[in-house]
Amino acid sequence: MSTPLEHQEKTTMPLALALLPIVFLIASLGASVYFFGADASYGANQIALILASCIAMLVGLKQGIGYEELQAGLTEGIHVGLGPILILLSVGMLIGTWILAGTVPAMIYYGIELINPSYFYATCAILCAVVAVSIGSSWTVAGTLGVGLIGIAGSFELSLEITAGAIISGAYFGDKLSPLSDTTNLASAVTGVDLFQHIRHMLWTTIPAFVLACIAFFILGSKQGGTPTDIAALQGAINQQFHIGLHLLIPLVIMLTLIAKRIPAYPAIIISALIGGIFAAAFQADTAAALIEGSGDSISDVVVGIWSVLFNGFQADTGNAFLDKLLSKGGMSSMLNTVWLIVCALSFGGILERTGILDRLIAIALKGVRGLTSLVATTVVTCFSTNLLAADQFIAIALPGRMFKQTYRDHGLDELNLSRTLEDSGTLTSVLIPWNTCGAYMTATLGVASFSYAPYAFFNLLCPFIAIAFASRNIGQKHL
């Protein structure tokens, strides 16, 4: 714990010193993208984050903070992400067994028959929104429905980037408005407002943003709509490797039921991954055994095949190049690079918070607040910046929530305005940043880079601006 003297030293830190690790990180990440391009997140960004953490530690040492406390800041920062990391690894297992079981192939098989490509993007957003409201987890929606929808988009030769943006828009809309969502509960808790009042107050900005996003997706779909070159060929390739039937969608129904009954995400996903393994053994034994060049008649070969998929993913061999690329994924090992990125990013965020650099920068932001519009705008920028630097949406909600609570009251505003703005910015912008836990997760799960889908995550982009616009016109603001 910090002593009063250490706390005073943190808050009186010279601005140039506080900005030093931030400037270094921005320059390093820029150089990383310049030199390594799309491969920047496969090592180069991690080095930039670790070196920036070292510079932040040097700043802390200069301020008189002991090394033991700085190291504690690093480990506590990583501790925040252990839950998401476990979910990330379990989703890798889930994707692997659901592909082997035929669940994901069945979603693609039936989806290309049922979904009109002209309305595909809007359909993705609405479908993901409905499911996310019911289960309260954007990550779970992306890791299940999202994977299948990406496959359908590829079969229609539609943009995977726009599809990912639609999936994320819908998933975060539902997550934001669900009483089961952890971020929704956190935002209401940190500001001290009633959960359901918080959800109702969010409708002011959330509904207009989602309606505008759906209109944009509808327009894009109508312009880019097409049909697969050969539905029969694609379905034939799926049938060649899997025994397809509607019963293969049962694992999806079971998982959605578990989440809806408020089973925590991690055990629910683990259970669903194991159910996928059971379905694989029951209905795809030949395919499971073939992964290790064994026989479906041998129980041990089937077990080893399923086991290998849990940690090493599935390798498709359908004879269709597109389908093979789409279905060759999953397994814990597929998530290890993302875990590497998250650990490095969270260590940097942890040291920034422990040294007081984040507090120093937020205190400067508060000095520019003059009225309602600037207060909301400052909150939005602060939450986005915290997502950028601390690399975790929970920190981007909790830290500004604590810092701004009294400021909102001083301006005659109910804390409901703060809780809504925390979600409009802290929750929604996290997924737009490649090294944030959310951005890294979506890239690993959907197979689309954050910078590629970010321009099409319309809901996530619109909400912060609508929050500021409504504040400037005093629309939907609750005053004391």
Side-chain angles (χ1 to χ4, degrees):
M1 295 293 292
S2 301
T3 66
L5 176 60
E6 287 173 334
H7 178 73
Q8 184 179 12
E9 288 172 341
K10 291 177 187 178
T11 55
T12 57
M13 180 185 300
L15 178 59
L17 208 56
L19 288 174
L20 185 60
I22 310 302
V23 173
F24 176 84
L25 178 65
I26 293 171
S28 299
L29 291 174
S32 169
V33 173
Y34 177 79
F35 288 117
F36 296 95
D39 293 328
S41 292
Y42 290 89
N45 286 347
Q46 286 88 327
I47 298 299
L49 287 160
I50 286 297
L51 293 178
S53 300
C54 293
I55 291 177
M57 291 186 75
L58 291 175
V59 170
L61 290 171
K62 188 178 187 306
Q63 290 297 103
I65 304 173
Y67 177 77
E68 292 75 13
E69 183 178 355
L70 294 173
Q71 188 177 44
L74 285 173
T75 55
E76 286 179 12
I78 296 171
H79 181 266
V80 171
L82 290 181
I85 285 172
L86 288 173
I87 292 175
L88 186 66
L89 294 173
S90 66
V91 168
M93 296 169 55
L94 178 78
I95 293 172
T97 60
W98 277 24
I99 292 175
L100 177 59
T103 300
V104 171
M107 291 168 65
I108 298 171
Y109 186 93
Y110 295 113
I112 58 178
E113 288 186 342
L114 299 176
I115 298 179
N116 188 320
S118 298
Y119 314 132
F120 179 72
Y121 300 137
T123 302
C124 284
I126 294 169
L127 180 61
C128 289
V130 171
V131 176
V133 167
S134 66
I135 67 176
S137 173
S138 57
W139 283 30
T140 304
V141 170
T144 53
L145 285 178
V147 173
L149 291 169
I150 285 288
I152 296 170
S155 69
F156 282 124
E157 299 182 353
L158 293 171
S159 167
L160 300 186
E161 292 80 8
I162 300 176
T163 302
I167 292 167
I168 289 166
S169 292
Y172 273 80
F173 169 85
D175 189 320
K176 190 168 182 273
L177 293 183
S178 174
L180 305 178
S181 168
D182 46 10
T183 53
T184 304
N185 280 274
L186 176 61
S188 65
V190 78
T191 54
V193 302
D194 177 75
L195 174 62
F196 291 98
Q197 287 185 4
H198 166 62
I199 291 173
R200 285 195 295 270
H201 199 60
M202 283 196 294
L203 296 176
W204 280 99
T205 54
T206 304
I207 296 299
F210 191 65
V211 170
L212 290 173
C214 286
I215 291 172
F217 289 129
F218 180 81
I219 293 171
L220 286 172
S222 62
K223 289 181 178 179
Q224 298 188 11
T227 57
T229 53
D230 193 341
I231 289 180
L234 186 65
Q235 290 179 325
I238 294 174
N239 275 321
Q240 178 182 327
Q241 192 159 10
F242 303 96
H243 303 289
I244 296 297
L246 287 172
H247 59 283
L248 298 178
L249 300 178
I250 292 175
L252 173 63
V253 176
I254 292 174
M255 192 206 65
L256 296 179
T257 302
L258 290 173
I259 299 293
K261 290 186 174 295
R262 308 199 71 168
I263 303 297
Y266 178 60
I269 293 172
I270 290 287
I271 292 169
S272 301
L274 296 178
I275 289 173
I278 293 171
F279 269 65
F283 303 110
Q284 318 291 347
D286 291 342
T287 302
L291 292 173
I292 59 166
E293 299 181 353
S295 168
D297 296 329
S298 170
I299 295 177
S300 63
D301 288 346
V302 174
V303 170
V304 173
I306 295 170
W307 199 330
S308 69
V309 163
L310 286 168
F311 67 82
N312 208 33
F314 182 80
Q315 295 298 316
D317 185 20
T318 64
N320 183 300
F322 160 73
L323 198 61
D324 288 346
K325 182 179 179 181
L326 174 68
L327 297 180
S328 296
K329 61 170 60 179
M332 273 191 172
S333 61
S334 69
M335 300 297 180
L336 293 181
N337 183 74
T338 304
V339 171
W340 178 21
L341 179 62
I342 289 172
V343 168
C344 294
L346 289 177
S347 64
F348 178 66
I351 200 67
L352 286 188
E353 188 168 12
R354 181 54 65 101
T355 56
I357 292 174
L358 276 180
D359 288 353
R360 180 74 173 93
L361 297 177
I362 291 176
I364 293 171
L366 284 171
K367 291 181 179 179
V369 173
R370 295 291 180 268
L372 173 59
T373 305
S374 63
L375 178 56
V376 171
T378 300
T379 307
V380 168
V381 172
T382 301
C383 289
F384 175 73
S385 300
T386 307
N387 262 324
L388 200 69
L389 299 173
D392 186 79
Q393 64 178 347
F394 297 108
I395 299 175
I397 293 171
L399 185 60
R402 295 196 304 265
M403 297 287 291
F404 283 90
K405 185 175 180 179
Q406 187 57 44
T407 307
Y408 272 72
R409 294 194 67 84
D410 292 342
H411 283 76
L413 293 167
D414 193 285
E415 288 90 343
L416 283 168
N417 301 289
L418 173 58
S419 66
R420 179 180 66 195
T421 308
L422 293 175
E423 292 249 59
D424 286 339
S425 50
T427 300
L428 297 185
T429 63
S430 60
V431 74
L432 307 177
I433 301 165
W435 54 87
N436 190 284
T437 52
C438 297
Y441 174 87
M442 292 299 172
T443 295
T445 302
L446 301 178
V448 181
S450 302
F451 284 142
S452 298
Y453 67 63
Y456 304 106
F458 297 127
F459 173 70
N460 303 66
L461 293 169
L462 285 169
C463 244
F465 291 103
I466 290 177
I468 297 171
F470 278 21
S472 68
R473 307 304 299 172
N474 199 23
I475 299 172
Q477 308 302 314
K478 185 174 177 59
H479 297 266
L480 293 175

